[in-house]
Amino acid sequence: MKGRKELLVGSVVLLAILTAVFGTFWLQGRRFGSTETEVHVLMRDVGQLSVGNTVTFRGVSIGRVGDITVEDSGVAVRIQLLLDGDWILDDDAVVVLAPASMFGDWQAEIVTRSRFPQYDYSEVPPDVELVEGVRVLGGYVLPDLSRLTAVADEVAQNVASLTDRFDQAFGQETADQITRAITNMEEFTATLRRLADEQSVQFLGIADDVQSATSEIASVLATARGSLERIDALLASGDLDSILVNTKIITAELSGVSGDISAASQSLSGTLTLADSTFLSLNRITTRLENGEGSLGRLISDTLLASRVERLVEELNLLMEDLRANPQKYVRLSIF
Amino acid sequence: MNGFVLTPVEYVGRWSINRVRSLGKAGYLTTGALRALRNVEIWGPRLLTQMVSVGVASVPIAVFIAVFTGIVLALQASYTLTGAVPMYLVGSMVGKSMITELGPVLTGLALAGRVGASTAAEVGTMRVTEQIDALETLAYDPLAYLVVPRVLAGVLMFPVVIVLASAVGVLTGWAASLTLLDMSSAEFVRGLRLFFVPFDVQFAVIKSLSFGLIVTSVGCFYGFHAKGGAGGVGVAATRAVVVSSVLILVLDAFWAVVLL
């Protein structure tokens, strides 16, 4: 009887213990007898992720969140992911934490950075504490529904405020003002149209002028083109080279002439100085002559003397004529 | 002032004195029971019998309650959630409710009626028939003989019964979801696992331990202090059930505040 009671109690107790233990493991999603890959994730925060949440890869559940602890430094949170089976993750693998549905359950999704490059992933610091055989990933937390709801609420409030202001602003008076504004706008448009017509006529004239100017410019350009072509031909023929050579020679000659001129100028300067002194002497002589000084002065100023000289000259002329006519009269030439 | 009519002040005074006296008796009983734990040779042989009486014999009624609780929970959750949220949340509601709340509390209340009443009645009968006095006369510690094995059995077996009842409740809720709600097993299991954390089970076990302690202690207390004849035993049993039930609800709230 006692043995039966013990068996009964033992069976019930064991059954309850097994139910509690295996039920807990099963509800946690653990698979008995299979290997697990442990991966750690360092994040700035984890949103509403909790222990036991699902880990997904390409949308498939491959594990669960084993543990969430704040790092000793307090600047990061370490998440332990327990993946069912052996997993080798890509080098650029990261973890995105996001709501799994609209009802508060979250999930950790293993992705590559290239899939969501716009996210500001938290990086793994180089001095992070590593566990042997456990890879540490960075990640990103998507805003949860409450944050989005808060933003949407703020937007809704802004829209409501805007609507209220619009209602207040858009009264009957505003409508009348808008009507008047529209009427004014119509008048303004008609005026603008007239002005545009006038301007278009003027514009046509301007366009003609521009056209003629363009034609002239074209002809000038044609002439210029011809000139350029001739210059080009000239350049091509080599005449310009000879001209330049000649010009060079002429320039050298001119340079020599300039030197001669310069020397001549210097000589002329001396000559002028000499002439100046000559003129001064001549001036003195003239003055003395006018004053009747000297023989010549007396000759000039003394009329009697002049007439005597004149008569002397005449007599000399007669003498010379007589000498030419009768040389033996004056000159006797004998050898012996 | 005659003895039949009390003024309000006298009534309050008498009530207060009785409460304090009851607290004193409870303290005396608790102290005596703790002291009686030394007498293993007295309560040890009776522990197994009490575990069968308190635990194993309570499993059927607990499972019976859990079966219908699980079914009703699934149907209620479906009725509440239809058209608003995904049906897999039925699994979440059934699992969370059965493991953390309804399993322990409903089973505790059921066991308060069954175990609390039987304990108070047994001990009360021994009291009014002076069997406890006889034990004392024989130098037998009545606390070690009557109270300790019952309280220990309650503390040990309540969690066992409640774990089994909760598991059965979840299973019947699952079955009801498959058969009555046109849900798939994958949906139900997804919801069941969605918000489950191991602490849920720990929370249920902690509550179960306290419920077992309270139900058996209260039953022993009222039985130990039963007066009169069969009527006194009945009053003791009734009070034991009522007070146990109230204390279960109070403890439930207490643990929710403290642990959640």
Side-chain angles (χ1 to χ4, degrees):
Chain A
M1 186 64 182
K2 185 180 178 184
R4 184 173 172 273
K5 285 183 181 178
E6 289 171 346
L7 180 64
L8 201 58
V9 171
S11 301
V12 172
V13 170
L14 280 177
L15 182 62
I17 290 173
L18 290 176
T19 302
V21 172
F22 285 97
T24 300
F25 287 166
W26 179 74
L27 287 174
Q28 281 186 296
R30 290 191 184 181
R31 297 179 183 178
F32 303 106
S34 61
T35 58
E36 278 187 338
T37 303
E38 184 176 352
V39 176
H40 288 184
V41 186
L42 282 178
M43 312 277 281
R44 284 185 285 272
D45 66 270
V46 297
Q48 296 181 31
L49 190 77
S50 59
V51 174
N53 281 149
T54 307
V55 179
T56 62
F57 179 71
R58 298 185 186 279
V60 179
S61 173
I62 61 168
R64 68 189 188 284
V65 176
D67 194 15
I68 300 174
T69 54
V70 179
E71 289 282 272
D72 293 338
S73 61
V75 297
V77 181
R78 185 181 288 258
I79 306 165
Q80 180 198 45
L81 305 182
L82 300 173
L83 311 183
D84 300 325
D86 295 324
W87 286 86
I88 299 174
L89 303 176
D90 291 339
D91 291 339
D92 64 340
V94 288
V95 173
V96 173
L97 306 183
S101 72
M102 296 178 64
F103 305 101
D105 51 318
W106 277 53
Q107 67 179 14
E109 184 176 11
I110 298 174
V111 298
T112 56
R113 288 175 189 271
S114 56
R115 187 176 172 194
F116 302 110
Q118 70 273 24
Y119 292 161
D120 179 22
Y121 295 102
S122 59
E123 301 297 338
V124 179
D127 57 343
V128 69
E129 181 186 351
L130 295 174
V131 179
E132 187 177 354
V134 177
R135 189 169 165 197
V136 182
L137 304 177
Y140 180 74
V141 185
L142 287 179
D144 64 358
L145 200 59
S146 60
R147 294 186 193 173
L148 294 176
T149 306
V151 173
D153 181 56
E154 188 177 348
V155 171
Q157 288 180 359
N158 291 337
V159 170
S161 173
L162 196 64
T163 306
D164 291 341
R165 291 178 183 175
F166 186 77
D167 286 342
Q168 291 172 1
F170 200 75
Q172 184 59 41
E173 185 180 354
T174 309
D176 294 340
Q177 289 177 351
I178 291 174
T179 304
R180 284 197 296 276
I182 291 171
T183 306
N184 293 336
M185 186 61 74
E186 287 176 353
E187 294 174 356
F188 173 72
T189 306
T191 305
L192 197 62
R193 190 164 53 245
R194 281 198 305 276
L195 188 63
D197 292 340
E198 294 171 4
Q199 292 300 320
S200 65
V201 172
Q202 292 182 4
F203 184 73
L204 287 174
I206 293 170
D208 292 338
D209 295 341
V210 169
Q211 190 172 9
S212 63
T214 306
S215 301
E216 290 178 3
I217 290 170
S219 66
V220 169
L221 286 174
T223 306
R225 188 182 304 114
S227 300
L228 289 172
E229 286 174 351
R230 282 195 293 278
I231 291 169
D232 189 43
L234 193 62
L235 289 173
S237 65
D239 292 344
L240 191 62
D241 290 342
S242 64
I243 291 169
L244 289 172
V245 169
N246 294 334
T247 304
K248 188 176 180 182
I249 294 168
I250 291 167
T251 305
E253 291 176 353
L254 282 174
S255 177
V257 170
S258 298
D260 295 343
I261 290 172
S262 177
S265 298
Q266 291 176 356
S267 300
L268 186 60
S269 178
T271 304
L272 287 173
T273 307
L274 192 59
D276 189 42
S277 65
T278 304
F279 284 138
L280 287 173
S281 300
L282 192 59
N283 191 27
R284 281 195 308 271
I285 292 168
T286 306
T287 304
R288 291 176 65 182
L289 287 175
E290 286 175 349
N291 293 333
E293 296 177 0
S295 300
L296 194 55
R298 284 196 302 271
L299 185 61
I300 292 171
S301 60
D302 192 351
T303 54
L304 181 60
L305 182 58
S307 62
R308 285 179 181 172
V309 170
E310 189 175 355
R311 222 171 23 246
L312 179 60
V313 170
E314 285 176 359
E315 288 176 355
L316 281 174
N317 282 334
L318 289 172
L319 181 60
M320 288 302 292
E321 286 175 2
D322 187 53
L323 182 60
R324 274 189 221 104
N326 302 297
Q328 61 269 19
K329 185 178 176 185
Y330 301 93
V331 176
R332 266 176 111 119
L333 183 58
S334 73
I335 298 172
F336 300 102
Chain B
M1 185 68 63
N2 60 49
F4 299 101
V5 181
L6 296 176
T7 63
V9 176
E10 288 175 325
Y11 183 82
V12 170
R14 178 173 293 186
W15 184 88
S16 300
I17 291 169
N18 286 337
R19 296 288 79 75
V20 173
R21 186 177 292 160
S22 297
L23 285 175
K25 290 178 180 176
Y28 175 77
L29 186 71
T30 304
T31 308
L34 290 173
R35 196 181 297 121
L37 282 172
R38 296 174 302 180
N39 302 322
V40 181
E41 69 283 1
I42 298 176
W43 59 260
R46 286 155 187 82
L47 179 62
L48 187 64
T49 303
Q50 291 303 322
M51 288 174 77
V52 171
S53 172
V54 172
V56 177
S58 300
V59 169
I61 183 65
V63 167
F64 184 79
I65 291 171
V67 165
F68 290 98
T69 304
I71 293 172
V72 171
L73 257 181
L75 295 176
Q76 284 283 357
S78 166
Y79 176 74
T80 306
L81 301 178
T82 300
V85 293
M87 289 299 287
Y88 65 79
L89 289 179
V90 169
S92 302
M93 291 186 69
V94 170
K96 209 75 171 175
S97 301
M98 279 306 302
I99 294 171
T100 62
E101 187 60 32
L102 292 180
V105 172
L106 287 184
T107 306
L109 290 174
L111 296 189
R114 182 185 177 279
V115 175
S118 68
T119 302
E122 286 176 14
V123 178
T125 302
M126 292 182 73
R127 168 60 72 186
V128 299
T129 56
E130 297 179 349
Q131 293 181 52
I132 294 176
D133 298 331
L135 288 172
E136 290 175 343
T137 304
L138 295 172
Y140 244 75
D141 184 358
L143 295 178
Y145 189 83
L146 298 173
V147 175
V148 172
R150 285 175 168 79
V151 173
L152 281 180
V155 170
L156 292 175
M157 295 305 290
F158 263 55
V160 170
V161 178
I162 286 173
V163 165
L164 291 175
S166 298
V168 170
V170 171
L171 291 174
T172 54
W174 186 352
S177 299
L178 297 182
T179 56
L180 301 177
L181 302 179
D182 200 21
M183 283 178 62
S184 67
S185 283
E187 277 184 302
F188 186 87
V189 171
R190 181 190 173 191
L192 194 61
R193 289 175 170 174
L194 194 57
F195 297 108
F196 174 79
V197 288
F199 178 74
D200 292 347
V201 177
Q202 300 169 22
F203 182 64
V205 170
I206 290 170
K207 287 206 296 189
S208 305
L209 289 170
S210 64
F211 292 168
L213 177 67
I214 282 296
V215 167
T216 50
S217 299
V218 169
C220 290
F221 174 77
Y222 281 106
F224 213 78
H225 296 95
K227 292 177 181 175
V233 174
V235 169
T238 303
R239 285 183 176 172
V241 171
V242 171
V243 173
S244 296
S245 300
V246 170
L247 287 179
I248 281 174
L249 297 177
V250 171
L251 272 177
D252 186 45
F254 170 78
W255 288 123
V257 170
V258 171
L259 296 179
L260 295 183

